[in-house]
């Protein structure tokens, strides 16, 4: 599953503060001090850290209460190739949970190795986004999870009815749906597929040393990382990259200097001029591990991505030294993968009427 438009780090840096940031940027950048000297002088105003929040243990939604039974079902469905037409693609195919939720490709191959038009983002911490997909067309994880299964380029199932028919033909899934959605006359539904996967994804959370630092542990970050954090804050990156997931809102790509792209973001969905080049801001959590970057997967290197965002969002060129400092800080956002939680489950066996793979 590519989760076609879910999002990979766009590294959208600051928008509403662009005017003062640009004015400041117009001055020639001063030569960077040696790292050790800069580190000694790094002082972080903790009031500035109010832009961020520590990650929760899970992203709750009262409309889809998380239960163990629902999570167990969602985990199986996340790894389930039989949710694709040819039974060769799953959510994990494009969002590899052992690889920080990505496949490392600009565009992920789906049904018949077709490539979509947007980069597959990480699913880790995605529950903290205000909307899902690059253009924000899904309100939550539950709705997002249902999209790629029916997308002809991705998993290519012909209809919701075909998905339900397949699941009902597998006795183990019938039992699992009954446990996950007790009291429902017909628990095996397409909506419940989304709810189960969503419940599982809501606990894909990767806290890092930065969370400890936010909690007051000054030793959680190295001196070099604190220098990078100070540069990140000075540039105004937190204007868009904020909150618990350090991203997740909607913002214009190319705020000051236009970003050349055939993909016009949310405009392609709404046809409203105000939405032209509006994309969902990606999380910076684990960003050092989730290349390539941008909605088109066009940039492989994080240093380059940071420089491009300074150019397009602020209209300036920042020094190589400052880029290096910021990238050093971004490394502190790499979290721990929940190994036991993401372990591949044993999937239930086919029933006598389970459909065969369909490569057409």
């Amino acid at each position: 599953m590519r989760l076609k438009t879910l999002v990979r780090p766009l590294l959208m840096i600051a928008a509403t503060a662009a005017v003062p940031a640009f004015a400041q940027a117009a001055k020639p950048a001063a030569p960077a001090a040696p790292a050790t000297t800069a580190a000694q002088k790094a002082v972080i105003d903790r009031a500035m850290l109010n832009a961020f929040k520590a990650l929760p243990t899970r992203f709750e939604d009262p409309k889809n209460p998380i239960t163990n039974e629902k999570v167990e079902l969602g985990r199986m469905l996340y790894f389930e190739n039989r949710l694709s037409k040819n039974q060769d693609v799953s959510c994990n195919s494009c969002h590899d949970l052992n690889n920080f939720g990505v496949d490392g490709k600009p565009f992920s191959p789906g049904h018949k190795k077709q490539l979509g038009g947007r980069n597959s983002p990480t699913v880790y911490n995605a529950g903290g986004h205000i909307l899902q997909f690059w253009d924000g067309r899904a309100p939550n994880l539950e709705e997002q999870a249902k999209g790629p299964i029916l997308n002809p380029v991705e998993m290519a199932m012909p209809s919701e009815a075909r998905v339900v028919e397949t699941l009902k033909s597998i006795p183990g899934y019938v039992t699992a749906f009954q446990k996950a959605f007790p009291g429902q006359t017909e628990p095996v539904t397409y909506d419940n597929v989304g709810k189960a996967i969503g419940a599982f994804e809501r606990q894909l959370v990767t806290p890092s040393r930065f969370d400890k630092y936010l909690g007051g542990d000054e030793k959680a970050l190295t001196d070099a990382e604190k220098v990078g954090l100070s540069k990140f804050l000075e540039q105004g990156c937190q204007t868009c990259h904020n909150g618990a997931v350090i991203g997740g809102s909607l913002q214009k790509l190319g705020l000051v200097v236009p970003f050349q792209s055939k993909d016009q973001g949310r405009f392609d969905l709404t046809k409203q001029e105000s939405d032209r080049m509006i994309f969902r801001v990606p999380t910076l959590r684990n960003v050092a591990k989730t290349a390539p970057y941008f909605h088109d997967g066009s940039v492989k290197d994080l240093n380059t991505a940071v420089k491009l965002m300074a150019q397009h969002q602020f209209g300036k060129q920042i020094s190589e030294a400052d880029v290096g400092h910021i990238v050093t800080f971004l490394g502190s956002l790499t979290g721990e993968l929940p190994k036991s939680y993401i372990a591949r489950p044993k999937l239930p066996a086919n029933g006598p009427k389970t459909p065969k793979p369909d490569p057409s």
Side-chain angles (χ1 to χ4, degrees):
M1 175 194 296
R2 277 188 5 82
L3 307 184
K4 177 177 181 181
T5 47
L6 240 175
V7 215
R8 178 103 39 104
L10 185 59
L11 299 175
M12 310 271 298
I13 300 179
T16 56
V19 174
F22 178 66
Q24 178 183 4
K27 301 177 182 179
T36 53
T37 302
Q40 293 170 357
K41 296 180 179 179
V43 177
I44 306 298
D45 180 358
R46 280 203 161 260
M48 297 287 287
L49 299 181
N50 290 334
F52 310 112
K53 293 181 180 179
L55 281 173
T57 56
R58 59 187 188 178
F59 294 97
E60 299 276 6
D61 185 344
K63 295 180 180 179
N64 185 30
I66 297 173
T67 65
N68 290 336
E69 294 79 10
K70 202 180 293 183
V71 167
E72 290 176 7
L73 172 60
R75 183 184 294 109
M76 290 192 291
L77 295 174
Y78 189 91
F79 286 92
E80 183 54 80
N81 286 349
R82 287 169 291 185
L83 288 180
S84 64
K85 185 178 182 182
N86 197 36
Q87 301 185 7
D88 58 353
V89 180
S90 71
C91 303
N92 196 64
S93 299
C94 304
H95 303 277
D96 186 347
L97 295 182
N98 282 313
N99 192 41
F100 289 89
V102 301
D103 62 3
K105 302 173 183 178
F107 303 115
S108 300
H111 183 61
K112 297 192 291 188
K113 306 303 179 183
Q114 298 176 91
L115 299 179
R118 287 174 178 166
N119 176 262
S120 297
T122 178
V123 292
Y124 281 108
N125 309 301
H129 297 152
I130 62 171
L131 296 169
Q132 303 298 324
F133 291 119
W134 278 107
D135 54 17
R137 68 178 181 270
N140 52 46
L141 290 174
E142 290 74 15
E143 289 300 312
Q144 184 281 322
K146 297 187 296 182
I149 298 173
L150 302 181
N151 188 298
V153 175
E154 299 179 48
M155 299 173 79
M157 287 294 262
S159 65
E160 294 182 9
R162 177 62 177 272
V163 176
V164 172
E165 174 191 357
T166 299
L167 292 171
K168 283 187 174 181
S169 75
I170 303 172
Y173 273 127
V174 174
T175 300
F177 271 89
Q178 290 171 342
K179 291 180 179 179
F181 301 97
Q184 295 188 12
T185 304
E186 292 289 343
V188 185
T189 68
Y190 197 62
D191 280 345
N192 283 348
V193 170
K195 289 179 179 179
I197 295 174
F200 171 65
E201 291 183 340
R202 288 185 177 282
Q203 296 188 127
L204 292 175
V205 181
T206 57
S208 72
R209 290 182 291 109
F210 184 61
D211 296 282
K212 295 180 180 179
Y213 181 75
L214 291 178
D217 183 356
E218 287 291 334
K219 296 182 179 180
L221 297 187
T222 66
D223 287 338
E225 289 166 344
K226 290 176 185 177
V227 172
L229 173 57
S230 70
K231 298 296 182 181
F232 184 93
L233 294 170
E234 287 171 10
Q235 297 294 344
C237 307
Q238 74 279 12
T239 306
C240 293
H241 289 289
N242 50 45
V245 302
I246 317 182
S249 62
L250 295 176
Q251 189 52 266
K252 181 177 181 178
L253 174 59
L255 184 66
V256 177
V257 176
F259 189 100
Q260 298 303 316
S261 174
K262 294 181 180 179
D263 188 338
Q264 295 294 291
R266 192 168 174 81
F267 172 82
D268 292 338
L269 173 69
T270 68
K271 305 305 180 185
Q272 296 182 12
E273 189 59 34
S274 59
D275 284 334
R276 191 178 293 278
M277 291 304 291
I278 297 293
F279 291 90
R280 197 198 64 192
V281 180
T283 173
L284 293 186
R285 296 283 184 171
N286 305 310
V287 68
K289 302 291 186 179
T290 55
Y293 305 109
F294 303 133
H295 62 283
D296 56 4
S298 59
V299 175
K300 298 179 180 180
D301 176 68
L302 186 54
N303 289 58
T304 301
V306 170
K307 286 189 286 187
L308 287 173
M309 285 297 93
Q311 175 186 343
H312 290 289
Q313 302 309 104
F314 292 121
K316 64 181 179 180
Q317 303 291 330
I318 61 176
S319 70
E320 292 289 347
D322 281 356
V323 169
H325 289 314
I326 291 173
V327 169
T328 295
F329 160 65
L330 294 177
S332 74
L333 303 178
T334 300
E336 294 289 331
L337 297 183
K339 290 295 186 180
S340 60
Y341 187 73
I342 63 174
R344 183 181 293 271
K346 182 178 180 180
L347 303 180
N350 283 345
K353 296 183 179 181
T354 301
K356 303 298 182 182
D358 182 358
S360 66

